[in-house]
Amino acid sequence: MIFDLRNNLGGSLKEAVRVSSMFISNGKIVSTKGNGGEEEFVFREGKYFGDFPLFN
């Protein structure tokens, strides 16, 4: 599953992390880089709904 949230001016990053966390069991969800070059990482949070089968 891919949630492409680029150029989504109507959503919030926090909500995107919460939705993504439902499908990602652990680790980093997203990183952002500020104007000064500092990188910030956001890790999964909230409920995890389990693994889903993937089809080719």
Side-chain angles (χ1 to χ4, degrees):
M1 237 182 267
I2 297 174
F3 294 98
D4 185 353
L5 301 172
R6 294 174 292 178
N7 301 316
N8 179 8
L9 301 177
S12 91
L13 181 60
K14 181 174 178 155
E15 291 305 315
V17 169
R18 290 181 69 202
V19 169
S20 299
S21 293
M22 293 177 188
F23 305 100
I24 298 173
S25 63
N26 58 34
K28 182 174 32 177
I29 300 290
V30 69
S31 65
T32 59
K33 192 176 280 190
N35 291 335
E38 66 280 355
E39 192 168 16
E40 182 178 329
F41 299 98
V42 180
F43 294 86
R44 73 160 311 283
E45 60 184 46
K47 187 171 181 172
Y48 172 61
F49 286 94
D51 293 324
F52 292 86
L54 301 176
F55 300 97
N56 291 333

